[in-house]
């Protein structure tokens, strides 16, 4: 019989466009018949096959068994860390060519628009935990470049807890819920975490960040991102320089209060996820500028810290951040599981022109990420999932394995070969083949930590000293909260010893709240950074007097405050509201890109003074002040009376005041303000605006929302944190 060679045509032509590529995998079931996975049309998807209407179910029911088997296998292991996250698609556009420093094409050509996928996450909590935990946030960005995928797997803090990757499982075991009772979820305020930290002085700097307002972002869209490690850029001539990567949010860096965060966790645990989704959905696309700090190779030893030590940052005052391009997130995923859950980031996904350094944390990460995906995504073919596939076709001799998607044709899957014309072939460096930077490496085989990694406190102190007074106060309160939750007194005391090595005043303030004394002289932190045979006396941390005393870039008080875009304003109104008073503020807020919602005592429509019907968006029962950035009480005698009489509305205002938010009220609504606990001299409170000229009031209110919060209120009005 003559063999007939059939060619099966792909339904979608191969493409380099990530968007088209993903869409080709997107199933739209609109108007389509239901089938089994092998294509059999399904007649009844609601009843199992039985022997008689009231009889037993039959094993031959392939429709039921296929449906249930698939369901039973729907879950995959969640990420060991960063389990809770949210993703979005976008594009990266370069401002200026970086050709001088790197041959990475997407950093050379300002005409290229590189597709990206970003995933933000918390670290400690499980997949279903709250967004508002006090925690580091993951900030992982994948660039789908024409030279392959480049993943910048960073965090919203520029340093890390530990210096060597081998300590990572210990750190994570310590912060995760305690193993005997699996308590507490998504929280570091417990004994095992602080036990580990108090024995790990290298974590001092990171602890300052995690106890600061940076750990409580208002939104993923209002966080900085950092590559953390020092990386290398390599240009076409093979000349390298060191680089630190930054993401600068165009909306500025903003945070919420701790009391507010705890409240949000109950009222809307999806707060950050929803915020990201809604912003993109409404066309208010989140934007960041990519920043780089470039450090010439010859400056490797110029600083009073080691560039390879991930517990150190390079102060922006020493090496300015150059903004080289913009990331815009402009599309929500179609399917959370297929995209956000299955995306597999790895800082080993690298392209020519970018290279690693010997940072021992970075080196260790290069092993862990692929290893974890093998289990999480069930085998070595996870790179072929739509979200992980590069935009360029991939050919190599890898074959088979669980869930192989490619149908690799031909006889040869080895190199060199003649039977397949020696294809696929290797790529010459001149044609873009990846060549590692030829750094000279020499040394004895040792388990050791460089002496240059032994200063743990100078940058912790730099961070603390660079904070504004309210930020310092929040940091102290955070430590009092966290250590107050620790049950073992010896751990609290050991931590006070560590804090006193950062700043004696800081340690003293925390000690008062813990009812303890700072150990005098401070108990030297037990140094667990060396092996069992090391004499602890010879390897104590060193105290370095950092060259910089203050770094203004570290305080979020110095962030941009020029926009109210996407800020949510609640308008507390009821029947009889003065529509002119609503309109002035609503229009001013919306004209500046903010969002308003009418919040009332019931759902439906309210009638204004003129009989206009105004739709209610939410009630004081179904929403809460912690879900808004600002609140306004318009005029209209009846409306004002109803709001004043509603305990939830008054509570709404009290909470907004407590969390230092801008509050505005029409002069007619003064009686509502008088019903609050802050009524006394409210007009003199910064960020509380009361007036009878609706337009002037609206302008002042918008200006106040730009400032985000009036943290000074906490001290002036004795507000609990
Ligand atoms: Fe990760 N980290 N990490 N990490 N990391 C993971 O990989 C690991 C570290 C970061 O949205 C895991 O896919 C080790 C620093 C982000 O999918 C795992 C060490 C930074 C994400 C892993 C670190 C990060 C992860 C878990 C110490 C900031 C989420 C699931 C050497 C620069 C990515 C996974 C996403 C995820 C290992 C330290 C960022 C287990 C061993 C430092 C943003 O492989």
């Amino acid at each position: 019989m003559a063999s007939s060679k059939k060619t099966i045509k792909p339904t979608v032509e191969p493409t380099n466009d990530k968007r088209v590529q993903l869409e080709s995998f997107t199933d739209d079931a609109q108007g389509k018949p239901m089938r089994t996975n092998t294509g059999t049309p399904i007649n009844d998807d609601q009843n199992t096959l039985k022997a008689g209407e009231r009889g037993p179910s039959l094993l031959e029911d392939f429709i039921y068994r296929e449906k249930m088997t698939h369901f039973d296998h729907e879950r995959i292991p969640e990420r060991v860390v960063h389990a809770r996250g949210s993703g979005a698609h976008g594009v990266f556009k370069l401002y200026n060519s970086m050709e001088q420093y790197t041959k990475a094409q997407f950093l050379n050509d300002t005409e290229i628009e590189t597709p990206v996928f970003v995933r933000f996450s918390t670290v400690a909590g499980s997949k279903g935990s709250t967004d508002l935990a006090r925690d580091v946030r993951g900030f992982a960005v994948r660039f789908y470049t024409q030279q392959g995928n480049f993943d910048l797997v960073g965090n919203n803090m520029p340093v890390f807890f530990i210096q060597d990757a081998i300590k990572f499982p210990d750190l994570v075991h310590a912060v995760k819920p305690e193993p005997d009772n699996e308590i507490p979820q998504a929280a570091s305020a417990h004994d095992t975490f602080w036990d580990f930290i108090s024995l790990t002085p290298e974590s001092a700097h990171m602890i300052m960040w995690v106890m600061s307002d940076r750990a409580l972002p208002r939104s993923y869209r209002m966080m900085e991102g950092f590559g953390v490690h020092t990386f290398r850029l390599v240009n076409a001539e093979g000349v390298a320089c060191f680089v630190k990567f930054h993401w600068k949010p165009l909306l500025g860096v903003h945070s919420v209060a701790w009391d507010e965060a705890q409240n949000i966790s109950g009222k809307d645990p999806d707060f950050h996820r929803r915020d990201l989704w809604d912003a993109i959905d409404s066309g208010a696309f989140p934007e960041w500028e990519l920043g780089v700090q470039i450090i010439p190779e010859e400056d490797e030893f110029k600083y009073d810290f080691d560039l390879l030590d991930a517990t150190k940052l390079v102060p922006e005052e020493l090496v300015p951040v150059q903004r080289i391009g913009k990331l815009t997130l402009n599309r929500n995923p179609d399917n959370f599981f297929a995209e956000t859950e299955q995306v597999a980031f790895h800082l080993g996904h690298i392209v020519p022109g970018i290279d690693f350094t010997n940072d021992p944390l970075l080196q260790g990460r290069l092993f862990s990420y692929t290893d974890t995906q093998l289990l999480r995504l069930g085998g070595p073919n996870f790179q072929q999932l739509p979200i992980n596939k590069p935009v360029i076709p991939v050919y190599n001799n890898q074959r088979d394995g669980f869930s192989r998607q490619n149908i690799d044709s031909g006889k040869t899957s080895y190199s060199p070969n003649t039977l397949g014309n020696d294809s696929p072939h290797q790529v010459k460096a001149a044609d873009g083949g990846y060549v590692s930077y030829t750094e000279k490496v020499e040394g004895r085989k040792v388990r050791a930590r460089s002496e240059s990694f032994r200063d743990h406190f100078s940058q912790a102190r730099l961070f603390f000293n660079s904070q504004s007074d309210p930020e310092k106060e929040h940091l102290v309160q955070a430590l009092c909260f966290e250590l107050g939750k620790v049950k073992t007194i010896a751990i609290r005391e050991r931590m006070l010893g560590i804090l006193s090595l950062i700043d004696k005043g800081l340690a003293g303030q925390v000690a008062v709240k813990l009812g303890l004394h700072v150990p005098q002289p401070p108990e030297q932190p037990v140094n667990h950074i060396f092996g069992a045979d090391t004499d602890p006396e010879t390897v104590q941390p060193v105290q370095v007097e950092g060259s910089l005393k203050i770094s203004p870039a570290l305080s979020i008080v110095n962030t941009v405050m020029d926009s109210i875009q996407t800020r949510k304003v609640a308008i507390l109104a009821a029947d009889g509201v003065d529509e002119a008073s609503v309109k002035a503020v609503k229009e001013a807020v919306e004209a500046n890109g903010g969002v308003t919602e009418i919040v009332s005592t019931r759902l439906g429509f309210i009638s204004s003074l003129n009989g206009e019907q105004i739709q209610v968006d939410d009630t004081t029962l179904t929403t809460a002040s912690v879900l808004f950035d600002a609140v306004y009480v318009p005029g209209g005698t009846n409306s004002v009376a109803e709001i004043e009489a509603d305990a939830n509305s008054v509570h709404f205002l009290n909470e907004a005041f407590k969390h230092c938010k801008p509050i505005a009220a029409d002069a007619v609504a003064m009686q509502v303000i008088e019903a609050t606990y802050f009524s006394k001299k409210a007009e003199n409170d910064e960020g509380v605006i009361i007036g009878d000229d609706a337009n002037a009031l609206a302008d002042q209110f918008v200006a106040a929302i730009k400032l985000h919060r009036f943290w000074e209120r906490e001290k002036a009005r004795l507000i609990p944190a």
Side-chain angles (χ1 to χ4, degrees), residues 78-83 85 118-123 136-140 152-157 159-162 164-169 226-229 310 340-341 343-347 360-373 376:
E78 65 174 34
R79 290 166 173 82
V80 188
V81 280
H82 297 265
V118 177
R119 184 173 178 274
F120 302 108
S121 47
T122 53
V123 178
V136 191
R137 298 300 187 286
F139 194 131
L152 187 51
V153 197
N155 280 343
N156 76 328
M157 297 178 188
V159 289
F160 202 61
F161 295 95
I162 47 171
D164 191 307
I166 201 168
K167 290 168 81 84
F168 191 66
F226 303 89
V228 176
H229 312 283
T340 309
E341 194 59 17
V343 64
F345 291 101
H346 175 25
L347 72 171
L361 201 68
L362 183 162
Q363 294 277 321
R365 289 178 74 199
L366 288 172
F367 163 73
S368 174
Y369 287 70
T370 306
D371 186 43
T372 208
Q373 310 309 346
R376 205 168 70 78

